[in-house]
Amino acid sequence: MGSAMQQRLYILDTGFSLPDRIGSIQSCLTDGSDLRTVVGGLKHNPDGIVIDHKAGRMYWTNMGAKLENDDGYLESARLDGSDRQIVVPTGNVGVFTPKQVALAVKSQKLYWCDREGMKVMRANPDGSEREVLVSTGSTAEDREDTSRHCVGIAVDESKGCFYWSQKGPSKGNGGRILKSPIEVAAGTTPEDRPREVILRGLPEPIDLEIEEETQTLFWTDRGDPPRGNTLNKISLTDLAAATKAGQPLKSEILARRLHEAIGLSVDHKNQKAYVADLAGGVYSIDLETREKTVLFPELGDLTGVALAHL
């Protein structure tokens, strides 16, 4: 039974600082031991990763060779790195720079954000039935407006909605987290889909994760201190009550002094969060004590991280 309950982290390394800029997917146990490369030769800036435990597969996004072009794509492989497949091919449905990807377990849908594409998108795990859910812009001029850039994504099927981050200018305190219903009226377009800004004025919010049972939203922020380069959380129940009463509700900072914080995976059962940052740090953070443990100080040029239960 011990091996069946084993947990491993899957960490994306863009390889951006290497001469050949070749990235990889690294995997280790949750204490940082048994580090190994499970997928190599990633040439196009991998960014977001999610695990499908039922299928025993991982899905990840690649931002593409040139961020201004629609050459981003999504891939999949078994957890040992075998059976690597293209899920959403490059140049498909205007995919520019796909970022965080999430799996809605009940509906078996992949959701992802596209930064320069200024979209929230969805598809089946085999890439079929691709659709644009939210569009915040469409032109090259729109693309220059970083307040339109969609980055992080989290799906709450229990409440029938999804959340995403629009990071705003770098270190600009113009970041927002928004919410939209999964089901909308027939004829609703991606441009006019109902959306609600639940948090604004954030330094630079990136990846999201939701704990549906407690209605807690977590996110990383790669903006400037004191509120940036942090792991954060907020009670969505308390936020809704405060909003209704016209009272502000501050989010809680769970960890500070990260270094361009991006990747996030939360182990809700064991109350731990795992964060990866662009400077190469991988951290284990106790959500109760808020103790931060450095698993790796400089593993690579890191983006996404996902926790797998094997």
Side-chain angles (χ1 to χ4, degrees):
M1 291 296 292
S3 61
M5 300 301 291
Q6 187 183 77
Q7 293 181 308
R8 295 192 69 89
L9 296 176
Y10 286 77
I11 306 159
L12 295 181
D13 180 0
T14 66
F16 189 77
S17 65
L18 299 176
D20 57 8
R21 294 193 174 182
I22 301 297
S24 64
I25 301 177
Q26 304 288 321
S27 180
C28 65
L29 297 176
T30 55
D31 63 359
S33 63
D34 193 31
L35 181 66
R36 64 183 73 164
T37 300
V38 291
V39 178
L42 300 183
K43 301 179 180 179
H44 298 136
N45 298 303
D47 189 88
I49 184 168
V50 70
I51 306 297
D52 183 346
H53 289 96
K54 185 177 180 180
R57 299 189 69 85
M58 54 184 166
Y59 297 84
W60 70 93
T61 60
N62 297 281
M63 290 187 287
K66 295 183 178 181
L67 303 186
E68 67 273 15
N69 294 341
D70 57 344
D71 62 351
Y73 57 103
L74 278 70
E75 289 190 79
S76 171
R78 297 188 185 277
L79 295 180
D80 63 2
S82 64
D83 191 31
R84 185 173 165 184
Q85 299 177 10
I86 299 292
V87 176
V88 176
T90 184
N92 207 293
V93 203
V95 177
F96 278 72
T97 46
K99 302 289 285 180
Q100 189 180 12
V101 58
L103 175 68
V105 176
K106 292 180 181 178
S107 62
Q108 282 294 290
K109 290 282 188 179
L110 290 173
Y111 287 70
W112 69 92
C113 278
D114 187 326
R115 189 177 64 193
E116 271 75 13
M118 301 168 289
K119 293 176 177 61
V120 179
M121 302 183 72
R122 177 173 68 184
N124 292 329
D126 64 359
S128 63
E129 298 185 14
R130 291 183 291 276
E131 55 186 317
V132 176
L133 301 178
V134 176
S135 176
T136 64
S138 59
T139 67
E141 183 179 3
D142 289 342
R143 196 164 293 118
E144 295 298 316
D145 179 1
T146 55
S147 69
R148 299 175 183 266
H149 289 180
C150 305
V151 181
I153 182 77
V155 184
D156 183 359
E157 291 187 292
S158 70
K159 298 295 185 182
C161 61
F162 59 90
Y163 298 83
W164 74 98
S165 61
Q166 291 179 208
K167 75 181 194 67
S170 178
K171 325 300 181 190
N173 296 306
R176 298 178 293 163
I177 296 177
L178 300 93
K179 171 185 176 181
S180 183
I182 293 174
E183 301 295 333
V184 293
T188 301
T189 69
E191 289 75 20
D192 64 18
R193 187 185 193 96
R195 64 196 74 177
E196 173 190 356
V197 179
I198 66 164
L199 291 168
R200 65 178 74 244
L202 302 175
E204 198 176 351
I206 306 296
D207 282 7
L208 309 178
E209 186 161 331
I210 188 168
E211 185 177 34
E212 294 184 29
E213 185 176 347
T214 63
Q215 285 296 288
T216 304
L217 185 69
F218 300 84
W219 70 95
T220 53
D221 194 301
R222 65 179 292 189
D224 280 339
R227 293 189 302 142
N229 273 313
T230 52
L231 171 65
N232 309 267
K233 77 169 184 177
I234 197 165
S235 165
L236 295 170
T237 303
D238 292 348
L239 179 62
T243 301
K244 186 176 181 180
Q247 300 293 327
L249 180 67
K250 289 186 178 181
S251 56
E252 297 181 54
I253 295 177
L254 301 173
R256 299 179 185 271
R257 297 182 181 88
L258 305 172
H259 305 283
E260 301 289 330
I262 297 179
L264 172 63
S265 186
V266 179
D267 181 355
H268 304 293
K269 181 178 180 180
N270 295 303
Q271 286 297 286
K272 289 187 180 294
Y274 298 93
V275 175
D277 64 33
L278 199 59
V282 181
Y283 310 89
S284 170
I285 298 160
D286 189 306
L287 298 178
E288 295 178 347
T289 66
R290 305 193 181 183
E291 180 181 358
K292 180 178 67 177
T293 301
V294 179
L295 301 181
F296 300 98
E298 296 181 356
L299 185 61
D301 307 290
L302 307 183
T303 49
V305 61
L307 176 66
H309 310 279
L310 305 180

